[in-house]
Amino acid sequence: MSKRAVLEVIALGVEDAVAAQAGGADRLELVTDMAADGLTPSAATVAGIRRAVDISLRVMIRLADGFAAGDVDRLADTAAELREAGASEFVLGFLDGGGAVDLAAVKRVVAVLDGCPWTFHRAIDRAADRAALRKQLDGMPGLDTYLTAGSADGVDGGLAVLIAEAGRAGEPGYGQQLLVGGGLRLDHVPMLLKAGVDGFHIGGAARPEGWEAPVSAEAVARWRAALDAV
């Protein structure tokens, strides 16, 4: 592999962020309320984490459980507030009732981001047609990453899809970085690295004592070592 693989860790607060950076994380995904699979954190939390660490932060723009956009005006206002709090990278993704990308909602939020880099998150794993979704989003300003397990059921069920998509890097709709997360385990890493995947996303794996406990710097360091070993 020609470059160091990116390790992104979910952070809920300053303690998580500091531990993740100490363990060797390259980037954080900032969220709140993991019971709803990660919603938008407060602007105060974003500002506090930005002061505490100097690695990249991607902030979730998601106001309710599920992948429907909901109140698009509120989403756009939230994006503006996060930018004012110092956020410059983001995570988002919205589907309509039929499982297609909600292009109008995505475009509205992306317009507020004004070129900031962003990740389309695991909504892609719930899409009716993930290839069509990629085609529709191709060329969207700032979109540089897809966070995906390859399957709604997690990496175990999505390995074949992930490996196939990694092999299409550079094709139209596949120029973004593949960031693998969702049931990701250390034993998945060698085959994904071999396939050319260079982005890895962990949440629970960084918290051996569960989501009620903070990120463990030691757990993050184990992932960093595994990614750097190849």
Side-chain angles (χ1 to χ4, degrees), residues 77-114:
D77 289 345
T78 297
E81 291 168 5
L82 292 170
R83 291 197 67 193
E84 290 175 6
S88 59
E89 301 179 40
F90 299 89
V91 183
L92 60 116
F94 312 112
L95 303 178
D96 65 20
V101 62
D102 186 340
L103 203 55
V106 171
K107 285 182 175 179
R108 176 71 183 281
V109 175
V110 168
V112 177
L113 302 187
D114 194 26

Side-chain angles (χ1 to χ4, degrees), residues 1 21 36 68 155 173:
M1 182 168 291
Q21 177 170 281
V155 173

Side-chain angles (χ1 to χ4, degrees), residues 178-204:
L178 201 61
L179 180 68
V180 174
L184 180 66
R185 300 190 308 270
L186 281 169
D187 59 280
H188 293 131
V189 166
M191 68 186 82
L192 290 168
L193 287 170
K194 184 177 180 180
V197 173
D198 61 1
F200 297 84
H201 168 97
I202 59 173

Side-chain angles (χ1 to χ4, degrees), residues 7-93:
L7 177 59
E8 180 180 273
V9 177
I10 294 175
L12 304 177
V14 169
E15 185 178 6
D16 284 349
V18 170
Q21 177 170 281
D26 300 291
R27 189 167 71 205
L28 305 175
E29 180 188 82
L30 307 188
V31 303
T32 191
D33 196 356
M34 285 305 300
D37 290 327
L39 304 181
T40 300
S42 70
T45 296
V46 173
I49 292 174
R50 181 68 288 168
R51 290 191 297 268
V53 298
D54 57 13
I55 57 176
S56 296
L57 313 178
R58 295 220 164 177
V59 185
M60 180 66 70
I61 302 176
R62 184 168 179 255
L63 301 179
D65 199 357
F67 298 115
D71 186 336
V72 179
D73 288 338
R74 188 174 164 221
L75 282 171
D77 289 345
T78 297
E81 291 168 5
L82 292 170
R83 291 197 67 193
E84 290 175 6
S88 59
E89 301 179 40
F90 299 89
V91 183
L92 60 116

